[in-house]
Amino acid sequence: MSYETLLTETRGPVALVTLNRPKALNALNSTVMSELADALAAFGKEEGIGAIVLTGSEKAFAAGADIKEMQGIDFVDAYIGDFISGWEAVAATRKPMIAAVSGFALGGGCELAMMCDFIIASETAKFGQPEITLGVIPGMGGSQRLTRAVGKAKAMDLVLTGRMMDVAEAERVGLVARIVPPERLIDEAVETAAKIASFPRAAVLMAKEAVNRSFETTLGEGLRFERRLFHSLFATADQKEGMAAFMEKRKPQFSNR
Ligand code: HXC
């Protein structure tokens, strides 16, 4: 796969997708949006890939939606063209996705990281929703995903003031899963993704689906959904293998069946 704004590679069962517009701090324009959707769809179909890492550069994961591109848009263009709806492809990715964030993750960059399943961040990472300083508000899920991730007080603080939060604060409030030194970022994310990819595929996809369902439904419905998925995994060969291997004190040989 060859792209104008992305680099893609595979490392064993992990796809590594790197945003690559260094001169614009990885600002997210419509080319990035369509190329990323394309790359994720391709890796989604590739059987050997079990998890995906999305990253940027050391200076910026992404400094937001491309302001140059947005500047000239009027309401009718935005509304009729359903501006930025193509980013939904990222959140709709079924395979687990880790955001490996170094440097700025601002505006759409923070929102893109939050579309991933969790964030591993380097000590240099900075998060924020500065849209208010441009006369707009978050448009790729920031007002919703950030609030669910960190609660109303912090979300309001960030969205209404546009301030940046450093990585220690981001971890403390629950936006970031792990902090690592910058030089460890990609390896940590890829190793973590490889570990996820080593588990039975059906269980991994269902685990992701079940956690995500908790954001969409009541506790009762969510618990019923979880239990049905849990029951269904007893129909898989990998459940038999996983439990037999435990009892026999050996390593399981999963077949993704
Ligand atoms: C377009 C951008 C950009 C952006 C940076 N650049 N952010 N271009 N869109 N979001 C470009 C700059 O214009 C500059 O280009 C180059 O990248 C380097 O940026 P500098 O500002 O010179 O770097 P620095 O002084 O280190 O400051 C870094 C920064 C700052 C603090 C991250 O660039 C910044 O504030 N960027 C904007 C952040 C922002 O407001 N993001 C939210 C966007 S709105 P030249 O050509 O001059 O070298 C958004 C809405 C999402 O994301 C919702 C739905 C779409």
Side-chain angles (χ1 to χ4, degrees):
M1 286 182 267
S2 165
Y3 296 107
E4 186 189 319
T5 63
L6 302 178
L7 301 171
T8 60
E9 63 179 281
T10 58
R11 296 196 187 175
V14 177
L16 177 61
V17 179
T18 305
L19 302 170
N20 187 34
R21 294 189 72 208
K23 284 190 197 134
L25 301 184
N26 290 331
L28 304 168
N29 63 13
S30 46
T31 308
V32 182
M33 181 177 77
S34 62
E35 290 191 340
L36 188 56
D38 188 78
L40 295 177
F43 286 129
K45 282 190 215 125
E46 219 171 288
E47 212 178 303
I49 295 298
I52 300 163
V53 172
L54 177 64
T55 194
S57 69
E58 211 170 310
K59 176 153 189 211
F61 177 75
D66 192 312
I67 299 168
K68 237 181 253 171
E69 189 182 75
M70 280 190 297
Q71 192 185 6
I73 294 177
D74 69 13
F75 166 72
V76 175
D77 290 338
Y79 181 69
I80 293 181
D82 205 5
F83 179 54
I84 63 162
S85 60
W87 289 103
E88 283 166 14
V90 180
T93 299
R94 295 185 72 212
K95 289 178 183 173
M97 258 182 97
I98 298 173
V101 174
S102 187
F104 298 111
L106 302 177
C110 185
E111 294 170 299
L112 178 59
M114 291 191 290
M115 285 181 200
C116 298
D117 298 312
F118 61 98
I119 299 173
I120 298 180
S122 96
E123 288 154 352
T124 65
K126 287 191 168 61
F127 297 86
Q129 298 290 159
E131 288 90 342
I132 200 81
T133 67
L134 300 168
V136 289
I137 67 168
M140 283 165 55
S143 65
Q144 306 301 301
R145 290 198 180 91
L146 185 66
T147 309
R148 282 163 168 80
V150 306
K152 179 181 168 184
K154 276 288 177 198
M156 284 289 192
D157 177 2
L158 291 160
V159 169
L160 290 177
T161 69
R163 77 172 174 89
M164 286 187 220
M165 114 176 124
D166 68 15
V167 76
E169 183 178 2
E171 190 198 33
R172 194 171 68 242
V173 299
L175 182 63
V176 159
R178 303 181 197 176
I179 304 174
V180 295
E183 64 279 7
R184 269 289 301 156
L185 180 68
I186 301 299
D187 286 347
E188 179 88 7
V190 170
E191 285 162 21
T192 305
K195 181 170 193 169
I196 293 168
S198 76
F199 296 126
R201 183 75 50 85
V204 166
L205 297 183
M206 285 189 198
K208 170 168 173 166
E209 224 184 319
V211 173
N212 280 337
R213 184 58 74 96
S214 73
F215 289 104
E216 305 280 353
T217 193
T218 61
L219 179 62
E221 284 306 319
L223 291 171
R224 268 186 287 282
F225 182 74
E226 178 193 72
R227 201 175 312 137
R228 290 295 172 265
L229 293 181
F230 176 74
H231 291 160
S232 72
L233 285 166
F234 286 82
T236 63
D238 283 337
Q239 173 268 329
K240 310 286 175 246
E241 170 60 13
M243 294 191 184
F246 178 84
M247 296 309 294
E248 292 158 21
K249 300 190 189 301
R250 61 174 173 82
K251 269 188 87 122
Q253 296 287 327
F254 293 125
S255 60
N256 284 338
R257 301 305 305 166

